[in-house]
C-alpha cells in the first residue's frame, strides 16, 4: 500500500543516478519488505562500464567543485537539509518499508541523518590553514587543507540514510565528489536522498548512485586510481577485503566495522537506568547496530534483581510490522539473518547458556525474531565473541571491577562500551581502562553528528562526524615561499 503510493509520487526511484541522469539497466535485483516478504520493487545492477563512466564524471565534477567556496558548500548542505526535512515523513516510510524498523525509529534516523548535514555545513565554513614560522630558507610558510579528490562510499542497510549523510556531508564540506553504492537491501532511501540533493541545486555529478551487486562494484572502486578515498561501513570481513584490495591504488580508507560492546552494570546502578540502557543499547534498530550492547555484565550483588527486571521488561516488548502504531521492535533484515540468529542461539545453549526468554523466529511470515534473554554466558562462548546483530541479550555475572574490565576488554573489537552505576569515580576509572573508541556512562545514546564516531582494532579506523570527520576527506598541503 505505502509502496504504491510512494512510487506514484515519484519517491521510490528504481534507478541508478549516473552521468547526470537516472539510468536503468537490464539486470535487476529485487528489494523486499522484510515485514511482509513482498517485493517492493527492483533496482538495476549497474554494469561495470557504467561504474567506470560514473568515476570519470565524478572526476570532472571534482575538478570544478574543488574551486567552490566554503560558503557554496555550506549553502548546498543547508538546502539539502531543508529538502530532507520537508520529506521526513516520506523518508521514514521508505526506511520502514525496506529496512523493517518501526516508523518511530525511522523518524529518529531522519533527524540523526540530517544532523550531519547541518554539522558539516558549519564545518565547511572553517578555515583550517595556518602559517608556520619563517626559517632561513623560506620567508613564508603555509599549511593548507585541500580536498582529497574523487571519493566513494559503500554503505549498509541498518541506517540506510544516516550512514550516507555522515559520509556525503563530510565529502561535500571538504570539496569532494562522491560515488555511493548503497546496500542492495535498502537502495530507495539512497535514491530519494540523491533526488533531494539534485533538487537542492547539486552541481552536476557531484554525487552519483550506483546500485547493484556489491562485489563487482566494490572491485571497480578498489581498483580505481581516480578514487582517492573509500569510506566503508559494514562488516569487518568485508572491510578487510576492501582494505586488502585497495593496497594497489594506495587510496585513503575509513573503516567503520563491527562491534562487540560490553555493558557493565555496577553494584551501585539504579534499576531505571539499567532498564533504559538495556532497552536503548540493545534494541535500537532491533539490535542491528555496530554500537549495540553485545554482552551485558552484571555485578553479582544485584544480578538477581537486575535479571528479573530485564526479563519483565523485555517480555512486554511488542514485535511487529514497523507501520503498526504499537510496534516497538520491527524485523531483522533478511531470512539469512533470522537463520543465523537461530543457529547462534542453538550454539549458545549447547555451550552452556540458559535460555530465559525467546530464542526463535516469531510467526512464519516476515523476519521477526523473539526478544531474547540468555544467561550463563562466558566470554569464550561463540555468542560472546561474535557480533550478535539481533534482539538478544547475553548476560554474564562478575565480582570485581577488575574482572569486569578484563572481560569487557577481552574482544578483538573496539567500537563502543557502556557503564552503568551511581559511583562516577568508579565509572570514570573503568572508562579509562576500557579499550574502545567510544564510551557511554549511564546512557547508551552516544551517536550524534557532533562527535567523532569510530572504533579501534577489528572495529576499524577513521572517525565520522565531529571535528575529525572532515579530515577523512582532505589532504595536508604545505607551501613554502622563498
Ligand atoms: P552486513 O553483514 O551488515 O550486511 P556487509 O559488510 O555485508 O554488512 O554490507 C555492507 C555493505 O557492503 C553493503 O553495501 C554491501 O552491499 C557491501 N558489500 C558486501 N560485500 C561486499 C564486497 N565483497 N565488496 C564490496 N562491498 C560489499
Amino acid at each position: 500500500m505505502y509502496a504504491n503510493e510512494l512510487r506514484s509520487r515519484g519517491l521510490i526511484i528504481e534507478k541508478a543516478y549516473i552521468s547526470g541522469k537516472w539510468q536503468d539497466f537490464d539486470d535487476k535485483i529485487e528489494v523486499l519488505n522484510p515485514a511482509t516478504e513482498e517485493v517492493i520493487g527492483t533496482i538495476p545492477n549497474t554494469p561495470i562500464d557504467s561504474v567506470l563512466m560514473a568515476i570519470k564524471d565524478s572526476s570532472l565534477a571534482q575538478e570544478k567543485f574543488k574551486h567552490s567556496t566554503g560558503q557554496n558548500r555550506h549553502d548546498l548542505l543547508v538546502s539539502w537539509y531543508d529538502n530532507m526535512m520537508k520529506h521526513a515523513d516520506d523518508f521514514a516510510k521508505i526506511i520502514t518499508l525496506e529496512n523493517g524498523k518501526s516508523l518511530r525509529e525511522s523518524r529518529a534516523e531522519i533527524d540523526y541523518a540530517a544532523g550531519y548535514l547541518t554539522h558539516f555545513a558549519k564545518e565547511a565554513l572553517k578555515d583550517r590553514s595556518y602559517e608556520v614560522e619563517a626559517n632561513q630558507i623560506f620567508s613564508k610558510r603555509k599549511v593548507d587543507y585541500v580536498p582529497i579528490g574523487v571519493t566513494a562510499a559503500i554503505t549498509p542497510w541498518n541506517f540506510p540514510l544516516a550512514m550516507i549523510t555522515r559520509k556525503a556531508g563530510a565529502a561535500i564540506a571538504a570539496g569532494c565528489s562522491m560515488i555511493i553504492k548503497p546496500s542492495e537491501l535498502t537502495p530507495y532511501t539512497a535514491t530519494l536522498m540523491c533526488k533531494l540533493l539534485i533538487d537542492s541545486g547539486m552541481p552536476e555529478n557531484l554525487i552519483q548512485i550506483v546500485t547493484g551487486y556489491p562485489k563487482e562494484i566494490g572491485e571497480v572502486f578498489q581498483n580505481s586510481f581516480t578514487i582517492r578515498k573509500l569510506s566503508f561501513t559494514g562488516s569487518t570481513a568485508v572491510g578487510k577485503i576492501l582494505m586488502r584490495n585497495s593496497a594497489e591504488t594506495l587510496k585513503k580508507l575509513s573503516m567503520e566495522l563491527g562491534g562487540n560492546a560490553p555493558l557493565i552494570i555496577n553494584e551501585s546502578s539504579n534499576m531505571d537506568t539499567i532498564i533504559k540502557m538495556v532497552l536503548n543499547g540493545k534494541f535500537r534498530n532491533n539490535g542491528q547496530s555496530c554500537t549495540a550492547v553485545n554482552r551485558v555484565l552484571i555485578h553479582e550483588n544485584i544480578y538477581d534483581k537486575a535479571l528479573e527486571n530485564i526479563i519483565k521488561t523485555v517480555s512486554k516488548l511488542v514485535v511487529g510490522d514497523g507501520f503498526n502504531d504499537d510496534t516497538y521492535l520491527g524485523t531483522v533484515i533478511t531470512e539469512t539473518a533470522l537463520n543465523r540468529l537461530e543457529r547462534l542461539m542453538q550454539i549458545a545453549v549447547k555451550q552452556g547458556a540458559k535460555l530465559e526468554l525467546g530464542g526463535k523466529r516469531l510467526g512464519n511470515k516476515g523476519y521477526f525474531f523473539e526478544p531474547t534473554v540468555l544467561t550463563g554466558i562466558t566470554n569464550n562462548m561463540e555468542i560472546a565473541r561474535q557480533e550478535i546483530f539481533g534482539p538478544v541479550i547475553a548476560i554474564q555475572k562478575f565480582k570485581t571491577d577488575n574482572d569486569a574490565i578484563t572481560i569487557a576488554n577481552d574482544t578483538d573489537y573496539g567500537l563502543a562500551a557502556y557503564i552503568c552505576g551511581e559511583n562516577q569515580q568508579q565509572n570514570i576509572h573503568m572508562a579509562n581502562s576500557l579499550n574502545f573508541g567510544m564510551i557511554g556512562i549511564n546512557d547508551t545514546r552516544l551517536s550524534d553528528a557532533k562527535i567523532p564516531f569510530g572504533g579501534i582494532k577489528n572495529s576499524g579506523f577513521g572517525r565520522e562526524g565531529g571535528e575529525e570527520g572532515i579530515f577523512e576527506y582532505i589532504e595536508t598541503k604545505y607551501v613554502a615561499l622563498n
Side-chain angles (χ1 to χ4, degrees):
M1 163 178 88
Y2 291 106
N4 289 340
E5 189 246 339
L6 290 161
R7 190 180 287 105
S8 69
R9 290 167 51 218
L11 300 175
I12 288 187
I13 305 166
E14 295 167 278
K15 290 181 177 156
Y17 187 76
I18 299 168
S19 302
K21 48 184 189 287
W22 292 104
Q23 299 203 26
D24 205 358
F25 302 104
D26 292 340
D27 188 13
K28 309 271 193 221
I29 303 174
E30 287 187 338
V31 182
L32 297 189
N33 174 345
T36 61
E37 300 181 38
E38 284 163 9
V39 177
I40 305 169
T42 62
I43 41 147
N45 178 36
T46 308
I48 299 217
D49 54 351
S50 297
V51 182
L52 290 170
M53 186 54 85
I55 297 174
K56 204 162 148 233
D57 286 335
S58 195
S59 182
L60 296 175
Q62 167 60 23
E63 278 305 310
K64 291 189 198 149
F65 194 62
K66 70 178 183 194
H67 300 297
S68 61
T69 63
Q71 189 66 47
N72 298 147
R73 300 169 195 171
H74 167 275
D75 295 350
L76 177 61
L77 288 167
V78 168
S79 49
W80 192 15
Y81 170 88
D82 290 341
N83 249 334
M84 204 174 271
M85 294 319 281
K86 258 187 236 156
H87 286 85
D89 283 345
D90 296 322
F91 252 128
K93 284 182 189 147
I94 291 179
I95 294 178
T96 293
L97 263 179
E98 60 184 11
N99 169 287
K101 66 175 93 174
S102 71
L103 262 186
R104 171 184 57 81
E105 286 204 77
S106 295
R107 288 209 182 94
E109 183 177 345
I110 316 281
D111 290 338
Y112 172 41
Y116 283 100
L117 304 184
T118 43
H119 171 72
F120 282 116
K122 284 191 203 129
E123 289 293 296
L125 295 175
K126 286 187 188 162
D127 177 11
R128 295 178 179 78
S129 65
Y130 63 93
E131 301 268 341
V132 179
E133 207 180 311
N135 64 6
Q136 285 161 334
I137 307 169
F138 294 105
S139 57
K140 206 168 166 51
R141 302 199 286 172
K142 194 174 180 213
V143 175
D144 264 334
Y145 291 104
V146 295
I148 195 165
V150 175
T151 70
I154 298 180
T155 58
W157 47 264
N158 59 348
F159 293 93
L161 187 60
M163 296 305 105
I164 294 183
T165 55
R166 63 154 65 158
K167 299 180 194 307
I172 291 176
C176 298
S177 58
M178 180 174 260
I179 306 167
I180 300 165
K181 194 217 73 66
S183 168
E184 58 283 13
L185 302 171
T186 55
Y188 301 133
T189 307
T191 48
L192 177 58
M193 180 217 72
C194 182
K195 176 191 159 18
L196 297 182
L197 178 57
I198 298 166
D199 294 348
S200 310
M202 175 185 88
E204 192 172 39
N205 294 323
L206 185 65
I207 301 284
Q208 297 175 85
I209 307 274
V210 293
T211 54
Y213 293 113
K215 187 169 175 292
E216 290 74 7
I217 296 174
E219 278 168 6
V220 181
F221 286 179
Q222 292 147 40
N223 294 333
S224 164
F225 195 75
T226 306
I227 294 176
R228 296 316 306 147
K229 155 88 194 187
L230 174 60
S231 177
F232 174 70
T233 300
S235 59
T236 299
V238 171
K240 288 182 178 177
I241 295 174
L242 296 177
M243 186 162 175
R244 211 172 290 132
N245 295 345
S246 293
E248 200 51 48
T249 57
L250 276 183
K251 56 174 75 16
K252 185 164 171 159
L253 300 169
S254 36
M255 293 281 156
E256 207 276 274
L257 309 177
N260 184 350
L263 161 59
I264 300 174
I265 299 179
N266 284 319
E267 189 180 355
S268 62
S269 296
N270 170 296
M271 217 32 87
D272 291 342
T273 314
I274 297 177
I275 296 303
K276 179 185 77 180
M277 290 182 85
V278 168
L279 282 184
N280 290 331
K282 181 73 243 184
F283 295 111
R284 175 172 181 239
N285 217 23
N286 212 5
Q288 303 170 109
S289 112
C290 45
T291 53
V293 168
N294 215 53
R295 296 170 292 153
V296 177
L297 316 180
I298 309 181
H299 190 274
E300 61 179 1
N301 290 354
I302 58 160
Y303 181 86
D304 290 343
K305 185 146 182 259
L307 178 62
E308 189 191 323
N309 275 288
I310 290 171
I311 292 176
K312 203 161 92 194
T313 308
V314 174
S315 63
K316 289 189 205 135
L317 297 180
V318 178
V319 183
D321 190 314
F323 286 104
N324 298 342
D325 286 340
D326 61 345
T327 291
Y328 186 81
L329 290 179
T331 64
V332 295
I333 190 70
T334 53
E335 184 148 13
T336 311
L338 263 187
N339 293 339
R340 184 186 153 271
L341 281 173
E342 285 200 326
R343 224 171 25 247
L344 202 55
M345 296 308 100
Q346 284 158 12
I347 297 171
V349 170
K350 214 158 143 197
Q351 291 184 330
K354 182 173 174 219
L355 192 59
E356 305 275 357
L357 190 73
K360 53 184 194 318
R361 181 179 189 166
L362 200 58
N364 51 17
K365 193 101 203 132
Y367 310 134
F368 298 101
F369 196 81
E370 292 174 328
T372 298
V373 179
L374 286 169
T375 53
I377 304 296
T378 53
N379 230 28
N380 56 357
M381 290 180 182
E382 191 68 22
I383 194 153
R385 309 304 313 174
Q386 274 197 32
E387 194 176 24
I388 300 172
F389 241 57
V392 178
I393 301 178
I395 301 180
Q396 315 190 28
K397 201 189 271 188
F398 73 89
K399 278 185 202 296
T400 67
D401 286 9
N402 276 345
D403 289 348
I405 291 165
T406 306
I407 297 169
N409 281 337
D410 174 24
T411 168
D412 292 339
Y413 293 97
L415 188 59
Y418 309 101
I419 302 163
C420 182
E422 295 302 296
N423 179 344
Q424 293 293 22
Q425 218 181 331
Q426 181 187 29
N427 294 340
I428 287 164
H429 165 73
M430 279 189 161
N432 289 339
S433 309
L434 290 174
N435 303 327
F436 294 82
M438 301 179 288
I439 304 205
I441 297 174
N442 288 328
D443 208 306
T444 59
R445 291 168 296 177
L446 288 168
S447 215
D448 168 320
K450 294 192 174 68
I451 64 113
F453 186 103
I456 59 173
K457 303 198 287 186
N458 263 353
S459 296
F461 49 82
R463 293 293 180 270
E464 298 192 297
E467 292 195 21
E468 286 81 354
I470 199 162
F471 281 95
E472 301 291 333
Y473 297 87
I474 51 188
E475 293 278 28
T476 309
K477 186 171 183 179
Y478 166 55
V479 178
L481 186 148
N482 182 325

